[in-house]
Amino acid sequence: MSQNELFDLLERTAVGDHPNHERIGCPEAETLERFASNPKLFDMRDPLFEHLAHCSPCFRFVRERRRE
């Protein structure tokens, strides 16, 4: 699966379906920045992928930086 395909899949569910107003379990901004700049640095089994799929704020953070 390409990076774009992965983000398209995540975007369909993660953008609004999983609010996390308290930001429980969120990784540091530095980790999200690193992921946004090069997701291939992270193994698909990394818990970050699961978190992004279930945390709309973190997913939006990454998506915005990938579009810059």
Side-chain angles (χ1 to χ4, degrees), residues 7-52:
F7 276 92
D8 288 344
L9 177 63
L10 286 172
E11 189 166 19
R12 280 182 246 148
T13 60
V15 171
D17 290 350
H18 303 287
N20 185 2
H21 303 293
E22 294 83 25
R23 303 301 298 264
I24 296 170
C26 295
E28 294 181 10
E30 179 181 295
T31 301
L32 294 172
E33 292 275 1
R34 196 171 57 232
F35 182 85
S37 66
N38 191 357
K40 289 184 178 185
L41 294 174
F42 295 80
D43 186 278
M44 288 292 290
R45 294 170 293 209
D46 190 302
L48 182 58
F49 282 95
E50 182 73 20
H51 181 79
L52 288 172

